[in-house]
Amino acid sequence: TPGVTLTSPAGGTITSQGGQPSGTGAANQALGRVLAASYGWGTGSQWTALDNIAMAESGWSDTVVNPTSGAAGIAQKIDGFGPGYERGNAPQQILWMLRYIKDRYGTPVAAWQFHLANGWY
């Protein structure tokens, strides 16, 4: 399948190859901000907290795996990649992370406070 490239507001790119979108950390970060806006978290302290979490956990990488825990992707999902959270699929991983934070903590600020206290979220 030919790839499709989108330019992000941050100047990075997100390229779809074989249906699996993947981008640079900067492109994934820009996409994260757009998707976070749908939760009302695209600006201010909520965005800062969400960005801090993703930077601390993965640097916005949609392919990284923690060799010790097996946690994977942007959100560092503890049980790794799989259906609904696939390697290289930044939009899917970001949406998973947003739902996880909303369901578990309510807001990114609360999740970041937990992360600061515990070293994980």
Side-chain angles (χ1 to χ4, degrees):
T1 306
V4 176
T5 300
L6 306 171
T7 301
S8 78
T13 60
I14 300 167
T15 303
S16 171
Q17 297 177 348
Q20 298 301 315
S22 184
T24 64
N28 292 344
Q29 181 184 41
L31 178 61
R33 189 170 200 151
V34 169
L35 294 174
S38 69
Y39 283 74
W41 300 341
T43 61
S45 61
Q46 297 300 337
W47 167 250
T48 299
L50 182 65
D51 188 43
N52 287 343
I53 291 167
M55 289 302 291
E57 293 290 329
S58 66
W60 288 98
S61 171
D62 55 13
T63 58
V64 69
V65 175
N66 181 315
T68 305
S69 69
I74 293 169
Q76 285 293 280
K77 185 172 174 275
I78 198 67
D79 54 356
F81 296 117
Y85 192 87
E86 296 158 357
R87 179 186 295 274
N89 193 327
Q92 187 184 65
Q93 292 178 25
I94 293 165
L95 290 170
W96 184 94
M97 183 171 102
L98 295 171
R99 286 188 303 269
Y100 172 79
I101 288 172
K102 182 172 177 40
D103 291 347
R104 182 168 177 132
Y105 300 100
T107 67
V109 167
W112 180 237
Q113 289 170 341
F114 184 92
H115 188 285
L116 288 173
N118 298 282
W120 60 277
Y121 79 112

